[in-house]
DNA sequence: CAGGATCCACATAGATACTG
DNA sequence: CAGTATCTATGTGGATCCTG
């Protein structure tokens, strides 16, 4: 391992934790989980509040997302036996730690989305495969 | 952060950057992007190396993922006009910054996957809806 | 008010076969 | 070797209707 970096092992960043990160991405990679988490923030909101605060979400998707979050202990659901019913949701400490982790990604997004967009535009203009003399490489900004 | 805030606005963590984070999650939330990124690490690998290093990936999925990564300037593709053909891939500086951001999530995954699994098991054992006296709340470890 | 149930549409992924 | 093309399967999300 000392000389050159070949070896073609499974990973360079993590040894075998790839499965864990896949699980997390499967959980938060869906359309609404992060949005619900961020909308909740540190507040306590009702189901109808979330519906109103998250544009485009359907009842089904909000319910599904909340149940998944609750199941994993990321969000706490508190139902009051009143009439009309009242159900409040808030992010648990565990969920808040996830919010923090996601925040890194969010910061990357804010900082680099313009660059990504520029690269995408470049590739559309150039076309993906222009041959050069011997080795062909696509241009990119960044 | 000083007093209290309700207001039920769009977000508590980010004001209107939710769209950016959604875009990033759409990009890396798929099945192979992060795996390719992590497999590449800081190395330069050929297509066949990646195929061999990423268990379960199909040619199509690897190609699709690599083209998307290249398009966004996260991975650089270098093709040599030789016979037999040789194509090498490496993560760009921009891509490496994304790797760093993803690493936060990876660390969260490693640290908390057991807790999440425990919560999940709890909910299966308890069942999701046991009513208490007045307010019903699900148990969770965290 | 806060969901549960059902049906449907679409995007994504996988298998397979073929090619420059 | 390094892809492309095509087809199919499955999961994910959305709309709608119904209920405690």
């Amino acid at each position: 391992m000392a000389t050159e970096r070949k070896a073609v092992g499974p990973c360079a960043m993590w040894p075998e934790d790839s499965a864990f990160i896949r699980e997390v991405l499967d959980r938060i990679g869906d359309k609404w989980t992060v949005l619900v988490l961020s909308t909740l923030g540190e507040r306590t909101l009702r189901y109808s509040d979330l519906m109103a605060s998250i544009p485009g979400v359907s009842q089904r998707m909000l319910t599904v997302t909340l149940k998944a979050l609750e199941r994993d202990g990321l969000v706490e659901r508190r139902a009051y036996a009143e009439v009309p019913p009242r159900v409040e949701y808030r992010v648990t400490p565990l969920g808040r730690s996830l919010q923090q982790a996601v925040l890194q990604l969010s910061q990357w997004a804010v900082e680099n989305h313009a660059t990504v967009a520029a690269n995408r535009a470049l590739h559309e203009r150039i076309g993906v495969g222009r041959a050069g003399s011997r080795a062909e490489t696509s241009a990119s900004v960044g």
Side-chain angles (χ1 to χ4, degrees), chain A residues 6-61:
Chain A
K6 207 57 182 252
V8 189
C11 278
M13 290 171 75
W14 328 299
E16 43 99 24
D17 300 333
S18 354
F20 296 153
I21 223 287
R22 268 277 76 243
E23 286 178 36
V24 174
L25 283 174
D26 281 343
R27 208 128 286 310
I28 71 169
D30 67 5
K31 202 158 190 168
W32 304 109
T33 295
V34 169
L35 225 50
V36 167
L37 238 31
S38 72
T39 301
L40 277 175
E42 310 193 350
R43 303 174 299 184
T44 298
L45 295 181
R46 302 177 58 165
Y47 183 87
S48 51
D49 292 333
L50 287 166
M51 276 297 291
S53 300
I54 301 176
V57 73
S58 64
Q59 290 186 331
R60 175 182 132 84
M61 280 302 104

